[in-house]
Amino acid sequence: MLPSFFIAHGAPLLAIENNEYTQFLNQLGQTLPRPKAIILFSAHWESTMQKVSDVDTYDTIYDFGGFDPELYRIKYPAQGDQQISKEIKDLFTENGVTFEVETKRGLDHGAWVVLRLLYPNADIPVISMSVNQNLKPEEQYKIGKSLSALRANDILIIGSGGTVHNLRAVKWADNEVDQWALEFDDWLAHHLKNWDLDSLFKYDSLAPNAEYAVPRYGKEHFIPIFYALGAADDSRKAALLHRSFRYGNLSHSVWQFG
C-alpha cells in the first residue's frame, strides 16, 4: 500500500532550481514504487465545493507573475484518468462528500512544480483536487479519509502546500530561520508523529505562533496536510522525511503518512 504525502511546493522558482530540496524530491520520485495514478490536493485550487478533475490532458497554468521567463516555458502535459475519477466520485458519494466535476482546468503551480520534480516525464495520470479553507480541519480530514482505500490500488495521494507560509513575513534573501517558524513547525511535528488529531484540529489556538505561520488570509497552504493525513487514517503513522526553510521562514517539508 502506498503512503500519502504532504509536500511543500515552495516558491515557483523551485521548478528551475537545483538545491537540497529539489534533489530530495527528485530522489523521492525515483525510490517510491511507481504509482498507477496520482491524486493531488493543491493549495492553489480553492473552491467552496469539492472539485474532482476529469480531464484528458492538462494545460499548464502559470498562476504567478514577475518570475524568470524560463518558468513560463515549462509544460507539464499530464494525462487524466476517467476510471480513477469515477472511483473518487463513487467514494465521495458513499461517504457523503458533496462534489462537482471539473473538465477543463489545468494544473496550477502548486501541482505541476511538485509533480515535475517527482516525475519529470509527466507519464503518470493525475487527478487534480481542490481544497476548501472554509471547512473545519475535521471535515478536510474526512475528505481525505474517504479516499484512503485507493492507496491499496497503487494510487498516490498528495497534499501540496506549506506548513509555514506567510508571504508578508518572508525575506527574499536567505537568512537564518526565524524562531517563530521553527517553534510552530516543531509543535506540528510532535503532534503529527503522535497522530494527535484533537490538538491538530485546534492548531490555530494551540500551536505557538500559529497566527504567523498560518495567517488567517492564507490558510489554503496549510490545510492540504489534513487531506493527506486523512488519507492514511487506516494506518496512522507519520514520518518527517525532509525539512528545510527558505527566505527566513518559508518551509519545505515532506511528510509521509501511512
Side-chain angles (χ1 to χ4, degrees):
M1 179 180 289
L2 284 174
S4 60
F5 288 90
F6 176 80
I7 300 178
H9 60 250
L13 286 171
L14 274 182
I16 57 174
E17 290 179 328
N18 180 14
N19 56 39
E20 173 191 5
Y21 186 47
T22 61
Q23 291 169 17
F24 174 82
L25 291 178
N26 289 155
Q27 186 63 31
L28 180 63
Q30 295 172 31
T31 55
L32 282 173
R34 183 178 174 85
K36 176 182 176 182
I38 302 167
I39 298 170
L40 188 143
F41 292 88
S42 173
H44 286 275
W45 187 8
E46 288 192 82
S47 175
T48 55
M49 173 75 73
Q50 179 63 52
K51 301 281 190 173
V52 180
S53 66
D54 192 349
V55 173
D56 290 331
T57 302
Y58 290 95
D59 292 327
T60 305
I61 301 174
Y62 308 102
D63 50 337
F64 47 79
F67 287 94
D68 190 313
E70 183 180 350
L71 281 173
Y72 304 90
R73 293 192 289 268
I74 292 174
K75 302 290 185 184
Y76 194 81
Q79 305 289 308
D81 188 306
Q82 289 187 337
Q83 179 57 38
I84 305 299
S85 292
K86 182 181 183 302
E87 291 177 26
I88 293 170
K89 291 182 281 186
D90 289 345
L91 287 169
F92 279 165
T93 299
E94 291 172 16
N95 289 277
V97 177
T98 56
F99 65 91
E100 293 178 348
V101 177
E102 170 57 56
T103 60
K104 296 181 179 179
R105 189 180 190 276
L107 294 177
D108 57 69
H109 85 272
W112 64 258
V113 168
V114 167
L115 292 171
R116 186 168 175 269
L117 288 167
L118 291 172
Y119 303 107
N121 295 326
D123 55 356
I124 298 174
V126 175
I127 312 299
S128 184
M129 309 282 279
S130 67
V131 298
N132 182 359
Q133 67 172 306
N134 296 320
L135 295 179
K136 295 179 180 178
E138 297 94 323
E139 296 170 309
Q140 296 153 354
Y141 185 95
K142 176 188 173 184
I143 291 171
K145 181 180 177 180
S146 69
L147 302 178
S148 61
L150 295 176
R151 292 172 38 238
N153 297 331
D154 297 326
I155 294 173
L156 182 63
I157 300 176
I158 297 174
S160 171
T163 57
V164 180
H165 188 277
N166 185 341
L167 294 184
R168 296 178 186 176
V170 297
K171 304 159 185 174
W172 290 108
D174 278 318
N175 294 277
E176 290 186 13
V177 183
D178 290 332
Q179 188 62 30
W180 61 264
L182 283 173
E183 289 176 357
F184 175 84
D185 224 43
D186 287 345
W187 181 94
L188 179 64
H190 172 77
H191 292 283
L192 284 172
K193 289 175 181 177
N194 289 301
W195 213 273
D196 180 4
L197 297 180
D198 287 342
S199 296
L200 290 167
F201 291 162
K202 300 174 183 174
Y203 76 90
D204 53 348
S205 60
L206 296 180
N209 311 307
E211 68 275 19
Y212 297 110
V214 188
R216 294 189 182 278
Y217 65 84
K219 292 190 295 182
E220 76 286 341
H221 275 76
F222 184 70
I223 61 173
I225 203 165
F226 292 122
Y227 295 88
L229 195 65
D233 179 80
D234 51 354
S235 54
R236 297 197 169 199
K237 296 177 182 177
L240 180 59
L241 303 187
H242 176 93
R243 184 177 80 165
S244 56
F245 290 85
R246 293 289 299 278
Y247 315 121
N249 50 61
L250 185 68
S251 64
H252 289 165
S253 300
V254 177
W255 279 95
Q256 176 177 307
F257 304 124

